[in-house]
Amino acid sequence: MDRVTTPGGVRARARVLAHGDGRGGTVLPVLEGEGPLAVRRTRGSGAEARVMLVGAMSGPLGGDHFTVAAEAARGARLRVGSAAATLALPGQDKAGARYDVRLTVGDDAELHWLPEQLISAHGSDLHVTTRVDLAAEARFLLREEQVLGRSGEEPGRLTSRLTVRIAGRCVLDQELACGPGAPGGWDGPAGLAGHRAVGQLVVVRPEFAADPPAARAFAEGVAVMPLAGPAVLVTAVAPDALLLRRLLEEASDALG
């Protein structure tokens, strides 16, 4: 599908739907994207289907509004990544850009949401919302990584909100605002403390209900915190994207 351009910027959507095939595999009856949100199936592993988001143009720019929806229905095993980092840039439209992500996972289904970093370039203004709705017996892994500014530049304005619900119950609802115009203290000792890369993992497994991971400092700049459900949140800050990825991967391995 072609992109839709309006005076307020580009509007684009992508949608992925995965189902179990009844034989231990996963099928993708819906795999569609518009303009800058190209969607490609890649080689999977075992029962898992893999999908890649491929940026077909720059953005999001000021005034753009992108929406991505991914659903793993009963019996599906789905992994979604991206081919490159997302770069938020200023545009001719002075309005901020929006990037909305909607993730849904059914019972006896699993979704790994593993995009590359989001980079907030100087002069940009991006609001990201990620909403996750999980069934009681769903399995889920989310990795978010945000980099404030390219090498040697100050960041743009970035606001990111993440909400996770399990069986209709909210277990996580948090917002991070960084950059020019963000509430005071975002870069202070109680915030990012001068770091320019921040990320998190959300891991949901039914077995965590009976045996949740303990709250602890995993490494310098990394904290593990069980949530009010079969879920755990890992948060990390680092001076750069490379170290941030390594810290999150180590925490993910430690959680099994």
Side-chain angles (χ1 to χ4, degrees), residues 68-137:
V68 178
E71 179 180 355
R74 179 179 289 274
R77 304 290 181 266
L78 176 63
R79 178 186 295 256
V80 182
S82 60
T86 296
L87 180 61
L89 293 165
Q92 293 182 346
D93 193 309
K94 299 305 180 184
R98 292 189 60 89
Y99 201 128
D100 296 327
V101 178
R102 303 291 180 256
L103 307 175
T104 307
V105 188
D107 282 319
D108 188 31
E110 182 170 357
L111 171 62
H112 289 192
W113 180 258
L114 302 169
E116 294 300 310
Q117 297 93 348
L118 168 61
I119 302 172
S120 175
H122 180 67
S124 64
D125 184 357
L126 177 63
H127 191 107
V128 181
T129 62
T130 302
R131 188 177 69 212
V132 183
D133 289 290
L134 308 173
E137 297 298 317

Side-chain angles (χ1 to χ4, degrees), residues 19-45:
H19 281 284
D21 64 5
R23 303 185 300 276
T26 300
V27 295
L28 297 171
V30 178
L31 193 66
E32 57 189 28
E34 298 174 337
L37 297 175
V39 185
R40 301 288 184 267
R41 180 168 189 166
T42 61
R43 180 174 295 180
S45 175

Side-chain angles (χ1 to χ4, degrees), residues 41-213:
R41 180 168 189 166
T42 61
R43 180 174 295 180
S45 175
E48 181 183 76
R50 296 189 179 186
V51 171
M52 193 72 69
L53 295 173
V54 181
M57 57 183 288
S58 298
L61 308 178
D64 290 353
H65 188 175
F66 297 170
T67 303
V68 178
E71 179 180 355
R74 179 179 289 274
R77 304 290 181 266
L78 176 63
R79 178 186 295 256
V80 182
S82 60
T86 296
L87 180 61
L89 293 165
Q92 293 182 346
D93 193 309
K94 299 305 180 184
R98 292 189 60 89
Y99 201 128
D100 296 327
V101 178
R102 303 291 180 256
L103 307 175
T104 307
V105 188
D107 282 319
D108 188 31
E110 182 170 357
L111 171 62
H112 289 192
W113 180 258
L114 302 169
E116 294 300 310
Q117 297 93 348
L118 168 61
I119 302 172
S120 175
H122 180 67
S124 64
D125 184 357
L126 177 63
H127 191 107
V128 181
T129 62
T130 302
R131 188 177 69 212
V132 183
D133 289 290
L134 308 173
E137 297 298 317
R139 302 175 70 86
F140 178 69
L141 171 64
L142 172 144
R143 183 187 68 215
E144 282 190 340
E145 299 168 308
Q146 293 150 352
V147 180
L148 305 181
R150 292 169 292 190
S151 179
E153 81 172 358
E154 291 298 310
R157 172 71 182 269
L158 175 63
T159 304
S160 177
R161 183 170 183 177
L162 171 62
T163 305
V164 179
R165 296 179 181 274
I166 301 176
R169 179 187 181 191
C170 184
V171 300
L172 178 66
D173 190 352
Q174 67 176 22
E175 183 172 284
L176 174 68
C178 307
W186 67 269
D187 202 23
L192 300 186
H195 293 93
R196 284 296 175 263
V198 57
Q200 56 195 351
L201 296 172
V202 177
V203 185
V204 179
R205 295 179 183 159
E207 56 266 31
F208 284 170
D211 186 20

Side-chain angles (χ1 to χ4, degrees), residues 198-249:
V198 57
Q200 56 195 351
L201 296 172
V202 177
V203 185
V204 179
R205 295 179 183 159
E207 56 266 31
F208 284 170
D211 186 20
R216 60 189 174 112
F218 177 77
E220 184 176 356
V222 185
V224 177
M225 182 177 66
L227 301 176
V232 63
L233 171 68
V234 179
T235 57
V237 293
D240 57 57
L242 184 63
L243 179 56
L244 177 68
R245 174 65 61 86
R246 181 169 65 82
L247 291 171
L248 291 176
E249 288 182 343

